[in-house]
Amino acid sequence: MPLYPSPFFPGYWKTAAAEVKKLRSLIFCALMIAAAIALGLFSIPLDVGLKLSISYVARALAALVGGPVLGILYGIAEDVLGWVIHNDGPFFPGYTLNTGLAVVVYALFFYRQKLTLWRIIAAKLITNFPISVGLGCLWSQMLYGKGYLYYAAKSLVKNALYFPVQVVLLLIVFQALLPTMKKLGF
């Protein structure tokens, strides 16, 4: 399986699009949907629209295996199924967009590329701040009516404090699972 230096390298997107047709990739992503939903059951609510969860680990693994094309489908399916199974508020497509975007960002940094600490940091910076804080607060404002800055202040503090924990956890999970995943052909 080829590694690419970046998503802009020739062949990257053709390889990523082919993942949608691979039964192994589809099954792995389905298992990661189940894992993300199960992990979401153990989240810690902090405020309206704000919680601590480790379901991002399943998203990152799905992105690593499935790539950005399958990743957007994964994100949509995970968010909708997760809401159906344990809905903790009204369904809002903006949050579905956030999940899909987060998986695509993970895929752009992890899929068919050498995994480094810097890639993990960059992926978490983008998923935590522009997506979770930037867009997530916009969706909360639209749904719950308080000002954007009200949600942004809380979300910014939560994401800044949780960021190093998330990076370390992803690093540990990747280091533990990558050798086995390589042996299995992922």
Side-chain angles (χ1 to χ4, degrees):
M1 292 185 204
L3 289 180
Y4 296 101
S6 82
F8 305 108
F9 202 78
Y12 176 89
W13 289 96
K14 187 176 182 179
T15 304
E19 294 294 343
V20 177
K21 297 177 186 175
K22 292 183 182 176
L23 184 59
R24 270 176 85 113
S25 298
L26 292 170
I27 291 170
F28 184 85
C29 285
L31 289 171
M32 290 302 102
I33 288 172
I37 291 170
L39 291 170
L41 292 172
F42 301 103
S43 63
I44 301 167
L46 300 174
D47 197 12
V48 175
L50 194 63
K51 61 186 174 184
L52 289 180
S53 172
I54 58 169
S55 57
Y56 67 90
V57 173
R59 290 182 193 119
L61 287 170
L64 174 75
V65 171
V69 177
L70 184 53
I72 191 73
L73 299 174
Y74 167 93
I76 293 166
E78 185 222 313
D79 188 75
V80 171
L81 288 171
W83 179 82
V84 167
I85 290 171
H86 57 84
N87 100 38
D88 53 356
F91 178 78
F92 187 71
Y95 293 122
T96 305
L97 175 66
N98 277 23
T99 305
L101 286 174
V103 178
V104 168
V105 167
Y106 289 137
L108 292 175
F109 284 95
F110 304 153
Y111 177 71
R112 300 279 185 247
Q113 296 177 46
K114 185 178 178 186
L115 288 177
T116 64
L117 175 62
W118 298 114
R119 285 187 183 278
I120 294 170
I121 289 171
K124 284 309 302 171
L125 279 172
I126 294 170
T127 57
N128 280 22
F129 298 102
I131 296 173
S132 291
V133 175
L135 289 175
C137 295
L138 178 63
W139 311 142
S140 293
Q141 175 193 10
M142 292 170 74
L143 274 174
Y144 304 114
K146 293 187 180 172
Y148 180 85
L149 293 178
Y150 171 81
Y151 296 108
K154 291 180 178 191
S155 185
L156 189 60
V157 169
K158 174 244 174 183
N159 279 285
L161 293 174
Y162 197 32
F163 173 77
V165 174
Q166 291 175 314
V167 169
V168 169
L169 186 57
L170 276 179
L171 188 62
I172 291 168
V173 168
F174 285 158
Q175 286 180 342
L177 293 181
L178 279 179
T180 304
M181 291 176 71
K182 282 182 184 178
K183 286 180 187 176
L184 293 174
F186 291 116

